Amino acid sequence: MLSSLRIINFKLIEDLHLPELGRVNLLAGKNNTGKTTLLEAVMLLGRGHLPSTLQAIDALLSERGERTFNKGGSERNSLEKNVALFSSLFSKRSIGDFSDKTIKIFESQSYLNDLDVLSNQRLQINYVYYFDEIHQEDDQITTKRTIVDPNQTHFPHDLKVGLRLADGDSSIIYDLDTLTRPYNYGLGSQGKPSPVQFIRANEFSSILNPSRWDSIALTEKEDVLLEALRIIEPKLDRLTYVGDFDPHQRVPVVKLRGSDIKQPLQSMGDGMNRLMTLILALVNAENGYLLVDEFENGLHFSIHSTVWKIIFEASQKLNVQVIATTHSEDCIKGFQSCLSNDESGKLIRLDRTDNAITPVYYNAEELKIATANDIEVR
Amino acid sequence: MYNSSVLLVEGNDDEHVFKQLFIHYGIPQQFEVINAKSLDNVLEQVPVRLKQAGILNLGIVMDADEDFYRIWNRVIELVLRLGFEKPVLNSKGTIVKDQRGIRLGVWIMPNNTATGALEDFLQSFVPQCNPLWGAIDKQLTEYERNKWVGYVPNKRSKALIHSWLSCQRDPGTPLGLAIKKQYLNPHNEQAQFFISWINELFFDKSEEPS
């Protein structure tokens, strides 16, 4: 759980500091204030496991149709093209520029000193020049990637370009020439990644849903899911995934009370599908993060309070930190209705002036006054 | 822009009286008049409205009611807490700025110095030498002496003005409409001070209106 967040040089965020984060956070703000970018930054930081973070970067760039890992085959990109693939991660860079800046995403309560890191939750990304040093110890041959200071005069002849990811304990360097998965270098053990579930704005159903279902079927979490879906369809009796319709893809089917028919969830509208995806992701994010862009999409205004109530309750039980963005007044009202009972929620609006992004916080009391008097908070 | 300039008032009568005044003085409808329905609600909305993106000017109008200094002190405390410069008592209304350049205006009825309410402010709208007005005043005094009246002393100005209105061409005309019908004459010095305050707050104009 992040208590605060600082993002530097990442996509359209040059320097943003959120001094506080609650367990459930709702972000508002005009278009282009960096809300989605903030979610993406948390996605990268939240994994807490560098190889998984690299995969997350791959997923991020895939959203734009770029592929990063070398998937095999004879075609290889030029080094320039590979460098260009990652340049979009850095702020204020045109595609293809080798950035000398470092992306930093970390938990920090102090704004003044960006080295003041209170926990290991930190991530740094930058381009490096390096070479492979081969060491022989007893019978073991190990390869170490050593970073080269770009200011020195003598360069080894097999100089390479890489993307370096570092957290508090260790770092990995991704070879941009061959794009092969990196070895794990570093002092500490890598540990396991924390779950990070990201729901995009336009994601109503997700290809991840069948495996999300598999993780929770026959557990208490299945009940949380069904209870949520009953907000929209109270007659929902049972749900499962089947491969009847399409051999390549398992789909959810439901049975309603009083009927024997197995109905595909797909036919029950965007709301059901979106809710399914949201809650499946939520219950799969235990001890991790749920990130939702444009929370309101697909959901009728009347169900926002109930959906938020489920989010607040489940996130507390399962220790999930939730960060969602919204443009919707109804979504904010629904969120507000849960706040009076639960102080661990925060509404934060991002304001952009010139190139600086400033967060404006509303506490539970202020949000209550705002919704009671129709005062705009977005 | 939505809600970038707002005038928060305590009640229905305030809302309608001011709207009529603005029409009479040709004030452009470039700010929103919002009825907060109570004094506490006016004050509690201030910090939240000041957080709004794009807020430029916020004005609040409250009745001094029983104790002018009690209200004034609440205002000072709020204004300072929100990071504005210290407000200075001014019979023509108070306006303060913060570092973002946002203007916060405060007007305490009737005239930023005395105890009273909207209805005291409106007394300036009645020609004081009018025989009907004088007679009503005398009558009310007599009713009070006989203890026939139900109102408490600080509501006297309400009794006075509504009694005046009950004797006009359309008896029972409410305050705002009474201005439109000229039962209350908006062309007076007190109204002009108020309009100057509005002009300075919302339009950054410092001259006296005609």
Side-chain angles (χ1 to χ4, degrees):
Chain A
M1 186 105 21
L2 297 170
S3 59
S4 57
L5 182 64
R6 178 94 183 269
I7 302 170
I8 297 176
N9 290 330
F10 180 63
K11 296 179 85 179
L12 60 76
I13 296 178
E14 274 186 52
D15 193 338
L16 168 62
H17 184 231
L18 294 188
E20 286 172 60
L21 278 177
R23 197 186 68 245
V24 184
N25 305 274
L26 185 58
L27 298 178
K30 295 199 172 121
N31 295 111
N32 222 38
T33 47
K35 305 192 293 296
T36 306
T37 304
L38 192 152
L39 293 184
E40 291 173 344
V42 176
M43 173 173 80
L44 298 185
L45 178 65
R47 291 308 242 155
H49 177 252
L50 294 178
S52 305
T53 304
L54 194 50
Q55 278 181 310
I57 291 176
D58 180 50
L60 205 58
L61 294 172
S62 298
E63 287 284 320
R64 296 155 23 95
E66 314 270 13
R67 284 268 116 195
T68 56
F69 286 143
N70 186 356
K71 303 291 180 197
S74 54
E75 218 187 282
R76 267 175 56 160
N77 292 334
S78 64
L79 177 61
E80 287 79 15
K81 183 145 189 244
N82 291 339
V83 168
L85 279 177
F86 294 96
S87 58
S88 58
L89 295 177
F90 296 82
S91 68
K92 274 195 164 163
R93 277 293 145 193
S94 46
I95 306 293
D97 279 0
F98 185 106
S99 173
D100 53 2
K101 289 192 189 162
T102 302
I103 294 171
K104 294 184 195 171
I105 304 169
F106 55 104
E107 185 178 20
S108 167
Q109 277 148 329
S110 156
Y111 183 78
L112 297 171
N113 182 1
D114 72 342
L115 297 174
D116 178 50
V117 178
L118 299 181
S119 76
N120 273 334
Q121 291 270 72
R122 79 209 273 196
L123 176 67
Q124 280 185 196
I125 305 174
N126 58 327
Y127 287 113
V128 290
Y129 290 110
Y130 74 99
F131 66 96
D132 286 324
E133 264 184 295
I134 298 180
H135 293 268
Q136 182 149 15
E137 267 170 41
D138 305 323
D139 291 329
Q140 292 252 8
I141 296 179
T142 53
T143 314
K144 183 169 172 258
R145 291 188 166 168
T146 308
I147 296 171
V148 166
D149 177 351
N151 296 318
Q152 74 186 37
T153 45
H154 173 66
F155 291 105
H157 67 275
D158 54 351
L159 194 63
K160 297 185 182 186
V161 177
L163 189 73
R164 178 175 180 264
L165 274 63
D167 62 21
D169 295 320
S170 58
S171 68
I172 57 178
I173 296 178
Y174 186 32
D175 178 359
L176 290 179
D177 190 20
T178 59
L179 288 191
T180 46
R181 287 167 192 265
Y183 301 108
N184 295 340
Y185 292 104
L187 303 164
S189 70
Q190 292 294 327
K192 277 174 62 184
S194 294
V196 178
Q197 300 282 345
F198 196 140
I199 311 287
R200 291 275 171 195
N202 51 8
E203 237 181 313
F204 284 76
S205 59
S206 165
I207 51 169
L208 298 175
N209 285 351
S211 60
R212 287 171 173 153
W213 166 261
D214 290 344
S215 316
I216 64 142
L218 300 183
T219 70
E220 279 186 334
K221 295 173 178 178
E222 187 183 327
D223 297 321
V224 175
L225 175 64
L226 293 179
E227 186 201 319
L229 294 176
R230 287 183 189 120
I231 299 173
I232 296 180
E233 178 46 84
K235 297 208 293 281
L236 179 66
D237 188 15
R238 294 168 64 178
L239 179 152
T240 191
Y241 270 75
V242 299
D244 301 356
F245 299 98
D246 180 338
H248 299 295
Q249 198 191 1
R250 293 160 58 215
V251 295
V253 291
V254 304
K255 179 184 119 36
L256 303 183
R257 252 183 305 113
S259 160
D260 285 331
I261 305 170
K262 283 195 284 191
Q263 202 179 338
L265 193 78
Q266 193 62 38
S267 69
M268 297 179 78
D270 280 345
M272 276 298 252
N273 284 285
R274 175 76 167 182
L275 195 52
M276 172 82 159
T277 302
L278 267 178
I279 306 296
L280 267 180
L282 171 66
V283 298
N284 273 275
E286 188 164 7
N287 296 320
Y289 304 86
L290 173 66
L291 308 170
V292 186
D293 205 5
E294 291 182 22
F295 188 89
E296 65 272 18
N297 288 352
L299 305 179
H300 190 260
F301 77 85
S302 59
I303 64 171
H304 281 294
S305 328
T306 323
V307 176
W308 274 116
K309 183 157 167 279
I310 292 180
I311 305 266
F312 271 86
E313 283 169 4
S315 67
Q316 188 187 41
K317 250 169 81 181
L318 300 173
N319 191 32
V320 178
Q321 186 165 33
V322 180
I323 306 181
T325 72
T326 188
H327 287 132
S328 155
E329 212 178 315
D330 295 307
C331 175
I332 293 174
K333 286 198 168 117
F335 181 82
Q336 186 276 324
S337 69
C338 297
L339 272 192
S340 30
N341 305 327
D342 194 326
E343 286 302 314
S344 59
K346 293 208 188 297
L347 179 76
I348 307 168
R349 186 188 66 241
L350 299 183
D351 284 343
R352 188 186 271 278
T353 41
D354 302 319
N355 275 321
I357 308 174
T358 320
V360 176
Y361 284 83
Y362 286 84
N363 64 35
E365 189 57 38
E366 288 168 336
L367 195 51
K368 189 165 165 208
I369 294 169
T371 48
N373 295 290
D374 273 326
I375 301 174
E376 190 54 75
V377 300
R378 294 170 293 174
Chain B
M1 195 173 14
Y2 64 92
N3 282 351
S4 59
S5 298
V6 168
L7 182 69
L8 273 180
V9 305
E10 238 192 85
N12 249 329
D13 283 335
D14 305 71
E15 188 188 344
H16 291 113
V17 164
F18 300 148
K19 281 184 173 166
Q20 286 302 324
L21 274 186
F22 300 152
I23 292 172
H24 176 83
Y25 281 96
I27 304 295
Q29 278 187 1
Q30 280 166 19
F31 55 91
E32 206 177 333
V33 180
I34 296 179
N35 178 3
K37 309 216 169 85
S38 78
L39 183 132
D40 286 332
N41 195 237
V42 168
L43 291 175
E44 77 180 9
Q45 281 194 43
V46 170
V48 185
R49 286 198 181 266
L50 288 175
K51 277 191 175 179
Q52 193 183 290
I55 185 78
L56 294 173
N57 320 297
L58 178 62
I60 60 177
V61 182
M62 298 167 295
D63 286 342
D65 269 340
E66 278 137 63
D67 185 345
F68 174 80
Y69 283 101
R70 203 147 135 245
I71 299 257
W72 181 243
N73 286 331
R74 274 177 88 177
V75 166
I76 295 182
E77 186 267 334
L78 177 66
V79 161
L80 289 176
R81 180 163 46 96
L82 294 174
F84 285 84
E85 50 195 10
K86 182 153 186 217
V88 173
L89 203 50
N90 180 350
S91 62
K92 297 190 185 169
T94 306
I95 296 177
V96 287
K97 275 197 194 158
D98 73 358
Q99 320 142 303
R100 299 173 290 169
I102 293 177
R103 284 200 291 272
L104 176 63
V106 181
W107 181 285
I108 303 183
M109 283 295 173
N111 57 12
N112 298 296
T113 43
T115 294
L118 178 71
E119 291 76 10
D120 295 278
F121 175 80
L122 290 172
Q123 280 192 23
S124 314
F125 289 48
V126 178
Q128 295 296 306
C129 53
N130 182 297
L132 177 60
W133 181 260
I136 291 175
D137 198 356
K138 255 170 89 178
Q139 281 300 323
L140 284 183
T141 308
E142 198 194 313
Y143 304 154
E144 286 155 19
R145 204 173 352 155
N146 289 323
K147 300 195 200 299
W148 293 338
V149 299
Y151 55 79
V152 295
N154 75 356
K155 300 266 185 186
R156 190 180 198 268
S157 52
K158 269 193 157 88
L160 196 46
I161 208 130
H162 286 288
S163 302
W164 162 261
L165 291 177
S166 69
C167 299
Q168 301 306 312
R169 190 190 185 104
D170 289 326
T173 299
L175 297 176
L177 202 48
I179 295 178
K180 190 170 178 186
K181 294 185 182 178
Q182 294 281 327
Y183 304 159
L184 294 171
N185 187 351
H187 197 76
N188 63 76
E189 195 183 51
Q190 188 64 260
Q192 278 155 10
F193 288 160
F194 181 74
I195 295 294
S196 286
W197 173 75
I198 292 279
N199 271 327
E200 200 191 323
L201 175 62
F202 292 116
F203 305 106
D204 214 1
K205 283 199 245 160
S206 318
E207 337 78 63
E208 300 283 314
S210 51

